[in-house]
Amino acid sequence: MSSDVVLTAALRNNLLSLQNTQRLIDSTQLKLATGLKVNSALDNPQNFFTAQSLNNRASDLGRLLDGIGQSIRTIEEADKGITALTALAEQASSIVQSARDELAASEGEARLTGNVDLRNTATGDLIADTSIANGDVLQVITTDANGAQISEDIAIVTGDTGFSVAAKITDQFADSQNGEITARITDEGFLSIESSDGRTFKLTTTAANELDDADLTALGINNPFEIETRTGAGTGLNAATIVAGNTLTSISLFELPGDTAEAGDLIGANFTDAAGNNALTGVTQLQITINNNGTAVSSTAVPGTATFQDFVDSINGDANLNELISADFDSNTGQISITSLSDDVRNVQVLATAGAGETVSLGFGDPDGNLDPITTGAGVEDAVYSFNSSTEALDALAGDYNTIRTQIDSLVNDAQYRGINLLNGDDLTTFFNENNTSSLITEGSTFTANGLGITEATFRSSTEIEASAVQTRDALSAVRSFGSSLANNLSIIQTRRDFTEGTITTLQAGADDLTVADSNEEGANLLALQTRQALGTTSLSLASQSQQSVLRLF
């Protein structure tokens, strides 16, 4: 066209060279500005999409790292709970050991505690509020420092309250004796009567002013009482002997002075006590009956022609009895012993039958037999004995133990992180790859008191204390084992976290290898292009000078 500008070949070539150089300069400047040598698929499709895939996986793994980190925190919270649980279990075990020590030290304490709140009777007057008649007597019998029997009759009269009855018992033994028996009203309002210095004591009533079952129930102390029959009379009074500890032991029996009775001796033979007094003569039958939480369970009646070992075997071989009590005859001391194995055993009734003019005096519960004095006569001779190994110190220890049970439950409930509680049965799943095909399940356990098998304690017998000892030992073992498992899982997750972080770094470095520009190289390229551009501009200027020379001719 006539309007087109005509450029010479030299000018056109120089111009094209400058344009190409500018494009290269623009591209190099972009690489330097972004730090990438591949900014889009147009730059290098293969490198671009490969790098994008690597970065996408790195991004997915990066999000997984957050979950892995939260799993670590969840396990760390559970581990803190395990540490605290271990301390609580060890403390519970220590309390059980203290209970063992206290039980051993408290074998000289017999105590009967009622179960009726005497603070809240209608008027406060026991005579007005209960079936107790004015002047009814509670007889308390024990032994003095020399082993001789002593007793006090506690008359309940109009105007008496639970507090005044307790005060009468304490004051009468303090004033007339040497304070061998004390009584008080507990914080719960229960009447508590206890001995000191190794004494067993007996509670009974009098024929003239008898406290019957209803009266004893009103006082809250009816559980250990049974009707005792003496000298074959066929009648008796409510009575119970309170024995310290959980083992009932008879006096030592002798065939002759100095010749100790042995397990193989016949029950119906003649035996004396340590002083040479008749203890057993002409016994035709020996038997025991226990009160198992209100249900009477009797042993097989053993005839006088049987041996003491036969009597022991009749108890230990009885499936209805041998989980509740055990019996033994010590040939070295000539003593029969009966041990309570359960807190449900309220009392033991020992029944011995003898002929007319014969003697029955086993003296259970008192080393000298003075609480069960020698009695002569035909018929059944029985006495009721209630075990008591619970002391105020043991009750306090049981309270402390049960407080720990409560704290274990509270601690377990608090040991959760973001709704996951490994100590209360929840499981934790941790994923390690973007496809969720690689994972670890951290299984939780239920570590509440019930979950650990730690039951509420009373510490009222050695059996119960030993049961608590086994429970705390097993709980401690379970907690420690779970702590070890948690530590192993935590180590695995931390290792996988470190591996994932390394993998992310590798992926990102691989993507950078494909797309990141070398600033040194691109800087050199830019400098070379700028030089080329300057030279091209000079060359273009020289090419245009030939046309200017033609113009000068005109």
Side-chain angles (χ1 to χ4, degrees), residues 208-439:
N209 303 98
E210 181 182 1
L211 287 168
D212 59 19
D213 286 340
D215 300 333
L216 295 169
T217 299
L219 291 173
I221 57 174
N222 62 309
N223 272 349
F225 285 81
E226 300 286 351
I227 298 295
E228 284 192 359
T229 303
R230 290 289 175 175
T231 62
T235 59
L237 296 173
N238 273 304
T241 300
I242 312 302
V243 181
N246 64 336
T247 298
L248 177 64
T249 304
S250 73
I251 59 172
S252 294
L253 298 174
F254 300 89
E255 294 180 272
L256 295 171
D259 187 3
T260 306
E262 297 175 342
D265 291 339
L266 299 182
I267 296 172
N270 295 333
F271 296 97
T272 65
D273 61 15
N277 300 311
N278 287 339
L280 289 179
T281 59
V283 173
T284 59
Q285 184 173 284
L286 195 60
Q287 184 181 23
I288 67 164
T289 298
I290 68 169
N291 184 325
N292 179 35
N293 202 21
T295 301
V297 184
S298 299
S299 69
T300 301
V302 175
T305 55
T307 65
F308 289 111
Q309 189 61 50
D310 292 332
F311 173 65
V312 168
D313 292 342
S314 72
I315 296 172
N316 295 334
D318 190 330
N320 294 320
L321 287 171
N322 56 22
E323 292 186 359
L324 301 171
I325 60 171
S326 65
D328 183 53
F329 189 91
D330 188 342
S331 295
N332 293 320
T333 63
Q335 291 176 296
I336 305 170
S337 62
I338 299 171
T339 300
S340 169
L341 303 177
S342 170
D343 285 345
D344 289 334
V345 178
R346 292 183 181 176
N347 56 62
V348 172
Q349 190 172 26
V350 181
L351 303 97
T353 305
E358 305 294 356
T359 300
V360 175
S361 181
L362 283 169
F364 276 102
D366 175 20
D368 298 318
N370 288 328
L371 287 185
D372 188 14
I374 294 173
T375 306
T376 304
V380 176
E381 185 81 9
D382 68 36
V384 181
Y385 303 90
S386 176
F387 298 108
N388 176 67
S389 57
S390 177
T391 66
E392 289 184 50
L394 281 171
D395 290 345
L397 288 170
D400 292 341
Y401 184 89
N402 293 329
T403 297
I404 289 179
R405 287 186 75 256
T406 302
Q407 289 305 311
I408 286 175
D409 288 343
S410 298
L411 188 146
V412 167
N413 289 332
D414 293 338
Q416 59 88 19
Y417 182 82
R418 295 185 66 184
I420 297 177
N421 195 331
L422 293 174
L423 303 186
N424 204 15
D426 295 341
D427 294 338
L428 172 68
T429 302
T430 306
F431 295 104
F432 298 127
N433 66 8
E434 65 276 21
N435 299 322
N436 291 346
T437 57
S438 177
S439 63

